[in-house]
Amino acid sequence: MKIWCCLCFTQEDEPEEEDSEAVPIMKEGNIENEGNAERVTGNVEEAEGNVPRLGLASIDPGRDGNGHLRMFEGMVQAMRGGAQWDESVCVGALATLRAAIRSPRQSEGESSSASAADDGDHDSHHKRAKVHSFSHDVHCAMVISSGAGNASSSADRDYRINQGSNVPYKSETFFQNFTPNNGGEESPFDSGSGKDDEGDKSGTSKTEDLEVRMDLTDDLLHMVFSFLDHINLCRAAIVCRQWRAASAHEDFWRCLNFENRNISLEQFEDICWRYPNATELNISGTPAIHLLVMKAISSLRNLEVLILGKGQLGDLFFHSLAECQMLKSLIVNDATLGNGIQEIPINHERLRHLQLTKCRVMRISIRCPQLETLSLKRTNMAQAVLNSPLLHDLDMGSCHKLSDAAIRSAATSCPQLESLDMSNCSCVSDETLREIALTCANLHVLNASYCPNISLEFLSFTVVRASPQLRWLQYLIVTCWRFWSLTIAACLPLCPWISPRLQNIRLVHCRKFADLNLRCIMLSSIMVSNCPVLHRINITSNSLQKLALQKQESLTTLALQCQSLQEVDLTDCESLTNSICDVFSDGGGCPMLKMLVLENCESLTAVRFCSTSLVSLSLVGCRAITSLELTCPYLEQVSLDGCDHLERAAFCPVGLRSLNLGICPKLNELSIEAPNMVLLELKGCGVLSEASINCPLLTSLDASFCSQLRDDCLSATAASCLLIESLILMSCPSVGSDGLYSLRWLPNLTLLDLSYTFLMNLKPVFESCMKLKVLKLQACKYLSDSSLEPLYKERALPALQELDLSYGTLCQSAIEELLSFCTHLTHVSLNGCVNMHDLNWASSGGRPSELSSISAPSGMFLPQSAHEPIEQPNRLLQNLNCVGCPNIRKDVDVSCFNLCFLNLSNCCSLEVLKLDCPKLTSLFLQSCNIDEAAVEAAISKCSMLETLDVRFCPKICPVSMGRLRLAYPSLKRIFSSLSQS
C-alpha cells in the first residue's frame, strides 16, 4: 500500500479547452535506493516530458507499524543522494512554524499524546531537530500541480534549492515530491545513517559551528503542532524525522478538507486508509464526487460530518448512507441527486442535521427519526415526504416547484416544529396556513414573506382566533404586496384564545398595507419597511423597547401604549403632524422614552414636548418648524441642524450641558433655563432681540453677529450667569456702555471679544473686568488714539496677557507707547494696521531686552519726547503678529529675549531683517521682498529656530534652502515655493 506524503491539492482554473489537452496523471513506479531499506515511489515517465496535473511522493512501508513514522519519508529521500541539507529549507520551515504559532488556530488534537509508533531507531536524534548550513547546492526533482497542463521536459522539473529560495508552493498549496539525483549516496541529514554522529573528520569543526540544536520532546512538539493548519504541517514535516512523525499524527488529520481540490480516487483511497478515524470530510467541488463519497462511506466508519456539492450523487449513495452509522450532519449544496426520475430516499437512524440547498431532484423522501433541522432552500423538487417526528426547524424557502399540498403535508407531518420558513413559496394558500396553525402548536418562528396567495385578513384570523393551540408564536415575518390591514390582538386577560407570546414582527414591501393595529403584550421588536401607503399605526405592548418606522411617507397617525419603550426613530416620516408631540409627552403612553428621532419630518411646524424621561431629541432637517418648546428636565442632547425657520424657542427647564442655536438664523425670541449648561452658542442669530438666559453654571457664551442684542439682554444674562469666563460679542453693534458696565457681575471673566463693534470708549471694560486676560479689539475703527492710555499710564487690566488690535486705526505713537510700557503682554496682534510703519526694536549691551533711542515719529517703543536710551525690564512678549502691514519700512530690527513666534508675512516692503531672539522657534516671511542672504543673516542669532516659512518670496530660490538646513541643524521645517515667482 502506498502512502501519500502530502495532503494538499490544487484546483485548476483553466478553461475546458486546456483541460482537454492536459496530460493524464502520471503512473508510479518504484526506484530502489541503495543503502536504504525504504522504497521510494517516484515518477517513471519523466523521459516522456509530461508534467502531471498532480504528483505525490509515496512510500510503501508494508502497512506495518513503521509506516506511521514514515508518512513523509519521501520528502527527505532527496537528501540521501550525496547532497547536503541546505539551510534555506530548514530556516524556511522554522520561519513558517513560528509565523503559524504567532497566529494560533484551534486544533482538535491539542490534548492528545504525540507518541507515534517507533521504528526501533528512536535514539537521541529523534528528540533533537538539527539544522545544518552548507554552501552546496541541492538538486531536487519537484513535481507540482501544472497550471496549464502543457508538457515540459524533465529538466524543467529539476528545481534548485539555494540559499535565497524557500520551499516552493503555488497558491498557498505546499505540494512536493523529492526524488534523489544520486541514489548511491545517503544524505548526512538522515539520522539513521549514522553520519550525523560520525561525520567527516576534516569538516567536524565547521559542522558543529553551523549546527543549531533544539531539544523538543514529543509531547511538547505535539502541543506546538496543534496550532498549525494542514499546509504548515506539511512544511514542518521536511525539517527532520521527528517533526515528520509528529506532523503525521492522526489528531491533526481528523478533519479532511478537499474542497475544490483535484484529487484522484487512488489518492483519496490511500488517505482514507491512512486516517480511518477522521470524523469530518469535505469533498465539495472535487472530480468524481460520487466515487469518492462511496469510498468514504466504506472506509471512514467514524465519520460524523459529511459535506458534498457541485456534482452528481447517484442512487447508490443514498441507499448506502445508512452504512455510515456515526453520521450526524449531511450537507449537500448545488448537486444533482439521483440518476433518474425515481424517488430519492434518505434514511438514517442517527442523522440530526440535513441540508439540501440548490439541489436538483424530482422527489425526495426523508425518514430520519433523530433529525432536528432540515433545510431544502432553493431545491428544485415537486414532492417532499417527511417522516421526522423530532424535527423542530424546517426551511423550505424559495422551493418554487413545491405545490401547496406538498408544503402542507411536509409541515403538518412535524408536530414538534418550532421554526418554519416558507418564504417565496408562491403556491402557499390560506388553507395551508390554517392547517399549520392547527397542527404545529410549538411554532415560534413563521416566515411567510413574499407569499402572494396569503391574505393578511386570513392570517390575522388564523393566528389570533382560529388557532388556540398556537400559543407559543414568537416571530411573525410577513412580506406581501396584497395586504391592506393587519390586526393582531394578543391581550391574554381579555382574549385567552390568542397568541400572548408574539415577540417579533417584520413587515416589508407591503405596498398596499395602510393600517396596523397590534396588541401584543410580549412584543419586543417590530420592523416596518417600504410600506408606502401605511398611514395609521396603533401598538400596545409591555415589552417593546425600540421602534423604528423610517421612511413611512404616508404615516399621519401614531398611537402607542408601550410602557417599556425607550427608543423611537421616525426619520423621513414626512406626513407626521404636530399631534405626534402628545404621543411622546407625559401621559402619551411612553413613560420610559429616552431617545426620539424626528429627522426630516417636514410637516412639523410647532413642536412641544413635556417629558420627564426624554434624554435625547433630534429634529435635524425639520425645516418647517417655527416654534419649539421643551419642558424636559433630563434632556441632555438636542440637535437642531437645518431648522433654519425657527423663530421662537423655549428650553424651560432642560438638562442640557451645551446648546448651539447659531444654525437658526431667524430666531428672535429665546428663553433658556438650564441648571447644568456650561456652553451656549448664539453665533449667527442676527435677529435675536429678546433673550432670557438663566444658566447658573454657564462659563462660555458666544453671541457673535447678534446684531439686535441690546444692553438690557446682556445685563440680564450677566446677572443670572455669574460664572461666565469667556464672552464673545463680536459684531454686536447694539451693545453699548451700559451693557459693558454690567460685566462687573462677572468676576471670573478672562476673555472678552469686542471686535467689529462701534465702541468709542473702553472705560467700562477697564473698570469692570479686572481679571481680564484676553482682549480682542479687531477692526474697532472708532477707538481714538488715547482710548488705550489707561493700559500703560494707569496700569489698567493688570492680568492682561493677550491683546489683538488688528485692522485698527491707532497711530504709530499709540502703538509704540502701548508696547513700550505694557511689558507683561505675551501675545500681540497688529495685523493689517495701516498706520504702523516702523518696527525697529534694537538690542543693547547684551541685556535681554532694551529699547533704542529713536526720534518720533520713527522711534519705536519710546514716547515721542524721549531722546536717550532707556533700559526696559525683561519683556514677556512671546508671540508677535504683524501680517499684512503694507506701510512698514524695509528695515526691521527686533530684539526680544522671550519672543518665540514672529509673523511678518505680506509685508511687501520688507528687505532687511535683523533679529536677536535666542528663543525664537517660528518665523514666517511669506510674500516678503527679502533675499536669501538677508534671511541667513536674520536667523544667525536664532539658535532655537525650528520653522521657517519663505513661500512666495520672489528673491528666494527654493533649491538654496537646503544650505540653510545644513547650516542650522535646529531647523526642522522649511516651507518654500516650488518655483520662483
Side-chain angles (χ1 to χ4, degrees), residues 959-981:
V959 180
S960 63
M961 290 296 99
R963 186 176 68 257
L964 285 180
R965 189 182 298 274
L966 295 177
Y968 301 95
S970 62
L971 276 175
K972 298 179 180 179
R973 294 167 293 273
I974 299 180
F975 300 98
S976 60
S977 301
L978 295 179
S979 60
Q980 289 182 279
S981 300

Side-chain angles (χ1 to χ4, degrees), residues 688 703-715 727-743 752-761 764-765:
L688 182 63
S704 303
F705 304 102
C706 293
S707 56
Q708 303 297 324
L709 190 65
R710 299 189 298 270
D711 289 343
D712 55 347
C713 294
L714 181 59
S715 300
L727 179 61
I728 301 178
L729 299 174
M730 183 173 61
S731 295
C732 295
S734 299
V735 174
S737 298
D738 294 340
L740 295 179
Y741 273 116
S742 66
L743 301 183
L752 178 62
D753 191 346
L754 297 173
S755 302
Y756 296 92
T757 57
F758 300 151
L759 294 177
M760 302 176 64
N761 185 7
V765 176

Side-chain angles (χ1 to χ4, degrees), residues 817-875:
E817 292 176 354
L818 176 68
L819 297 180
S820 297
F821 296 98
C822 295
T823 58
H824 55 282
L825 294 177
T826 59
H827 292 69
V828 175
S829 294
L830 301 171
N831 303 323
C833 292
V834 295
N835 294 329
M836 183 177 178
H837 47 80
D838 276 345
L839 185 57
N840 194 352
W841 188 0
S843 59
S844 175
R847 299 180 178 86
S849 179
E850 189 173 292
L851 193 64
S852 298
S853 59
I854 303 175
S855 301
S858 62
M860 180 62 182
F861 306 149
L862 272 179
Q864 293 182 358
S865 59
H867 297 283
E868 296 180 359
I870 301 178
E871 292 187 3
Q872 298 291 334
N874 188 20
R875 296 182 180 278

Side-chain angles (χ1 to χ4, degrees), residues 7-43:
L7 303 180
C8 299
F9 308 90
T10 58
Q11 179 186 14
E12 296 185 356
D13 298 328
E14 289 71 32
E16 296 181 358
E17 292 79 0
E18 296 184 4
D19 290 344
S20 62
E21 300 176 0
V23 181
I25 297 177
M26 187 173 294
K27 297 180 181 180
E28 299 167 354
N30 294 331
I31 300 177
E32 295 295 336
N33 187 3
E34 298 179 4
N36 192 345
E38 299 169 348
R39 289 184 300 159
V40 180
T41 300
N43 296 323

Side-chain angles (χ1 to χ4, degrees), residues 33-34 76-86 134 136-140 179-190 193 195:
N33 187 3
E34 298 179 4
V76 295
Q77 290 300 322
M79 304 305 122
R80 302 178 180 272
Q84 299 292 340
W85 178 257
D86 192 84
F134 296 97
H136 301 285
D137 292 332
V138 180
H139 297 270
C140 302
T179 57
N181 288 334
N182 185 355
E185 292 184 55
E186 292 184 353
S187 171
F189 172 75
D190 185 11
S193 66
K195 287 193 177 185

